[in-house]
Amino acid sequence: MSIKDKIINYNNKMKGNTKLIAVSKTKPIENVQEAYDAGQRLFGENKALEMRDKYLALPKDIRWHFIGHLQTNKIKYIAPFVELIHSVDSLNLLTQINKEAIKNNRVIDCLLQIDIAHEETKFGLDDDSAKELLESEEFSQLKNIRICGLMGIGSITDDKSKTRQEFKHLKELFNCFKEKYFADCDYFSEISMGMSDDFEIAIEEGATYIRIGSSIFGARDYVSKN
Ligand SMILES: *Cc1c(COP(=O)(O)O)cnc(C)c1O
């Protein structure tokens, strides 16, 4: 199936609040353009410079979402145009994003990345650290960022009930934070979870963004890239 057909297929599966992010990391401009020509506007990248280069080369109505681990010295490359940063995992990173947002005279929307899988290779805040961040004095001073919800990456596993438990947990934490900290904030409304292998469960458990890469664009070849 072509990229175009896959984009159309996936978008037909979206219902309610769920939106498809096409994760184009490591893939060439032509692939992104093909997805764009099929109507896709939301794209996800996990490297700041790669995202900046694609932003410069491609149509300006693409909405770029950053989904990877973000180094503070790279924020400046994406701050002018990024629509949503899914992967905020520390108060320091948020403070630096706020600084770059001020320089660009804008507000940058962010999600807090929560460590739902507890695998060593994954980033993210544990529940208590996320609470601490949201209750901190420093956080209350950051006027050029908005926390719009939570993001999580499920375990790499064939055990569907484990994955479902992780997504349920993220949704519960979202509800808890909504009530406690964001009751009056309409913008706190997003739950980013689900990838090629587990997006169906994520949709059932209330994902508002799913992030699909390899099953749209094909397997990634990291070896020749690096
Ligand atoms: C690469 C990546 C995805 C997409 O993964 P696929 O398994 O290729 O669909 C989703 N989310 C994050 C955070 C990623 O880094």
Side-chain angles (χ1 to χ4, degrees):
M1 218 192 289
S2 66
I3 290 173
K4 177 171 181 252
D5 289 337
K6 284 178 185 157
I7 289 289
I8 291 167
N9 263 1
Y10 267 106
N11 277 304
N12 284 338
K13 287 183 196 163
M14 297 304 110
K15 38 188 169 246
N17 286 330
T18 317
K19 297 154 295 241
L20 170 69
I21 299 174
V23 177
S24 48
K25 62 189 188 194
T26 79
K27 297 295 176 182
I29 301 283
E30 298 74 50
N31 288 182
V32 183
Q33 184 69 49
E34 187 177 346
Y36 178 92
D37 292 339
Q40 184 66 24
R41 292 295 178 271
L42 269 178
F43 289 88
E45 290 284 337
N46 71 342
K47 296 262 187 325
L49 281 166
E50 183 176 346
M51 183 159 123
R52 195 268 318 261
D53 290 346
K54 285 176 176 164
Y55 163 76
L56 291 174
L58 283 153
K60 293 299 171 283
D61 60 339
I62 289 182
R63 297 155 55 197
W64 292 100
H65 285 215
F66 193 84
I67 61 170
H69 185 63
L70 183 55
Q71 293 167 275
T72 51
N73 62 343
K74 304 268 172 70
I75 302 166
K76 58 177 181 281
Y77 298 122
I78 63 170
F81 65 88
V82 66
E83 178 173 81
L84 182 64
I85 299 176
H86 289 232
S87 42
V88 172
D89 58 3
S90 73
L91 181 58
N92 178 49
L93 178 57
L94 205 53
T95 306
Q96 301 305 320
I97 293 170
N98 190 69
K99 276 188 196 159
E100 293 298 327
I102 292 169
K103 284 186 202 162
N104 286 279
N105 195 23
R106 61 175 298 219
V107 171
I108 297 182
D109 286 342
C110 298
L111 306 179
L112 292 183
Q113 182 173 351
I114 305 295
D115 176 20
I116 55 172
H118 310 300
E119 287 174 344
E120 267 177 30
T121 51
K122 299 213 162 84
F123 294 99
L125 294 155
D126 61 40
D127 299 7
D128 288 340
S129 315
K131 278 180 200 150
E132 250 171 62
L133 186 160
L134 294 171
E135 289 174 6
S136 68
E137 172 63 21
E138 296 98 301
F139 173 69
S140 69
Q141 301 301 318
L142 305 177
K143 302 300 180 203
N144 286 64
I145 53 92
R146 280 198 313 189
I147 299 295
C148 296
L150 304 180
M151 179 270 227
I153 302 176
S155 292
I156 300 169
T157 176
D158 293 331
D159 182 352
K160 290 198 160 44
S161 70
K162 185 171 197 288
T163 302
R164 189 177 295 281
Q165 246 354 90
E166 292 168 355
F167 290 162
K168 271 192 198 303
H169 176 78
L170 192 63
K171 170 79 177 178
E172 278 164 19
L173 194 67
F174 171 88
N175 288 341
C176 164
F177 285 1
K178 176 82 189 166
E179 193 182 312
K180 220 172 163 177
Y181 308 116
F182 297 100
D184 301 325
C185 307
D186 289 345
Y187 57 80
F188 190 86
S189 59
E190 306 293 355
I191 303 174
S192 169
M193 59 187 184
M195 304 171 34
S196 291
D197 291 334
D198 54 18
F199 75 93
E200 278 151 324
I201 302 173
I203 293 174
E204 286 165 13
E205 297 304 332
T208 66
Y209 285 117
I210 59 165
R211 311 176 306 265
I212 306 289
S214 47
S215 58
I216 293 171
F217 295 108
R220 287 175 293 272
D221 181 2
Y222 285 109
V223 181
S224 66
K225 180 92 191 166
N226 294 320

